[in-house]
């Protein structure tokens, strides 16, 4: 609920006293992209606003999410090295069982 309200308030600050239009929603989406927000964050904010627009009967002003591609594998720098993996195995062996 807090996030929903925060997203709506942020849009209100952007829009000011202007009436909500599809063009204004698209401009807000562009503004968020230019501010450097991650696509998933922008999509979350737009989902909040789109829900409110549905509730208000203004579905004509809704905007589409940014298309994202799901990553099947994690980035190489996030992968464990063999040495790190072996160190984790040793640490797990030394640890008492939780069962």
């Amino acid at each position: 609920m807090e996030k929903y309200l925060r997203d709506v308030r942020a849009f209100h600050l952007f829009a000011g006293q202007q009436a909500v239009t599809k063009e204004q929603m698209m401009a807000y989406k562009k503004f968020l992209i230019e501010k450097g927000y991650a696509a998933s964050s922008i999509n979350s904010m737009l989902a909040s606003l789109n829900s409110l627009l549905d509730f208000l009967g203004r579905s004509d002003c809704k905007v589409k999410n940014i298309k994202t591609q799901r990553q099947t594998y994690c980035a190489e720098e996030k992968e464990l090295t063999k040495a790190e993996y072996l160190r984790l195995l040793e640490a797990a062996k030394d640890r008492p069982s939780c069962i």
Side-chain angles (χ1 to χ4, degrees):
M1 181 85 130
E2 289 176 27
K3 185 202 170 315
Y4 176 87
L5 290 171
R6 186 171 49 248
D7 293 342
V8 172
R9 285 184 185 119
F11 176 73
H12 178 70
L13 284 174
F14 173 83
Q17 298 299 317
Q18 300 175 19
V20 178
T21 63
K22 175 89 170 192
E23 292 74 25
Q24 189 178 44
M25 288 292 294
M26 291 185 331
Y28 185 60
K29 180 178 173 180
K30 183 179 178 187
F31 168 78
L32 294 173
I33 292 168
E34 290 171 353
K35 287 290 258 183
Y37 283 97
S40 58
S41 297
I42 294 171
N43 288 343
S44 176
M45 291 179 223
L46 295 177
S48 297
L49 293 169
N50 285 338
S51 293
L52 177 61
L53 291 169
D54 271 338
F55 176 77
L56 296 173
R58 293 298 313 270
S59 298
D60 59 307
C61 294
K62 289 171 50 175
V63 292
K64 293 183 181 180
N65 286 340
I66 297 172
K67 293 187 189 230
T68 58
Q69 185 173 353
R70 296 189 191 270
Q71 280 189 307
T72 307
Y73 303 101
C74 68
E76 195 171 313
E77 61 269 5
K78 289 188 177 184
E79 291 181 7
L80 292 176
T81 64
K82 186 174 182 177
E84 291 169 328
Y85 174 73
L86 293 173
R87 194 169 55 235
L88 280 173
L89 283 178
E90 286 302 315
K93 287 179 188 173
D94 295 339
R95 193 170 172 201
S97 176
C98 295
I99 300 175

